[in-house]
Amino acid sequence: MQTTRVTKVAARDVATNRRRGGDIRVLLSPRTVGSTSGFMGVVRLGPGEYVSEHYHPHSEEFVYVVSGHLVLRVGEDEVSLGPDEAVLVPQGARHRLENRGEEDASAVFHMSPLAPRPELGHVDTEEPPGPGVLPTVGGH
């Protein structure tokens, strides 16, 4: 019989990453819980904040809005998202997430499958708005 260890991760216990915009926290990843098929996190954007344009050459990204309203730009298309709405960003599609509203917004994101190596998972196509070092998602 195989024993399964369950690990709980609280957003408040994860360091924030503001380099790509907003408050991004990777909660469940190979580094934090030993995941092998993808990773999950939360993003909080204040009014006027955005996550700079980028793409994932090896992964699809799932985005679920918890509160507020966000606009997801995928290539030339824009999708408005409100609470309890979700969208799939196809693998390799350039995308940007924006809060054009007057209230804070938060969303959950999930990426799958994992890139062969962490540094291959994310390609910036726009200058990120914030300073700082990117977190390591892969590895143990």
Side-chain angles (χ1 to χ4, degrees):
M1 178 179 233
Q2 182 180 10
T3 303
T4 303
R5 188 176 135 235
V6 176
T7 304
K8 179 174 79 170
V9 178
R12 69 181 171 275
D13 297 334
V14 175
T16 187
N17 171 17
R18 292 192 168 274
R19 181 176 183 277
R20 289 192 174 105
D23 178 336
I24 300 172
R25 297 171 194 241
V26 175
L27 304 178
L28 307 175
S29 73
R31 178 173 290 282
T32 61
V33 296
S35 61
T36 60
S37 64
F39 66 92
M40 190 272 295
V42 294
V43 57
R44 292 181 181 94
L45 296 175
E49 289 187 315
Y50 63 92
V51 174
S52 58
E53 186 184 80
H54 61 282
Y55 69 93
H56 309 284
H58 301 278
S59 308
E60 296 176 319
E61 182 169 4
F62 305 82
V63 179
Y64 172 79
V65 175
V66 176
S67 64
H69 291 83
L70 296 170
V71 174
L72 177 70
R73 190 177 74 209
V74 180
E76 300 300 317
D77 297 327
E78 288 189 352
V79 178
S80 294
L81 298 163
D84 293 327
E85 295 180 329
V87 68
L88 168 68
V89 179
Q91 179 179 333
R94 292 167 67 133
H95 56 286
R96 183 182 209 262
L97 192 61
E98 306 173 12
N99 181 349
R100 297 180 186 169
E102 296 180 11
E103 63 183 11
D104 289 347
S106 64
V108 174
F109 62 89
H110 171 73
M111 308 277 293
S112 182
L114 292 171
R117 294 191 320 269
E119 68 274 13
L120 299 177
H122 187 107
V123 178
D124 289 313
T125 55
E126 174 182 26
E127 185 65 30
V133 176
L134 296 176
T136 302
V137 173
H140 293 282

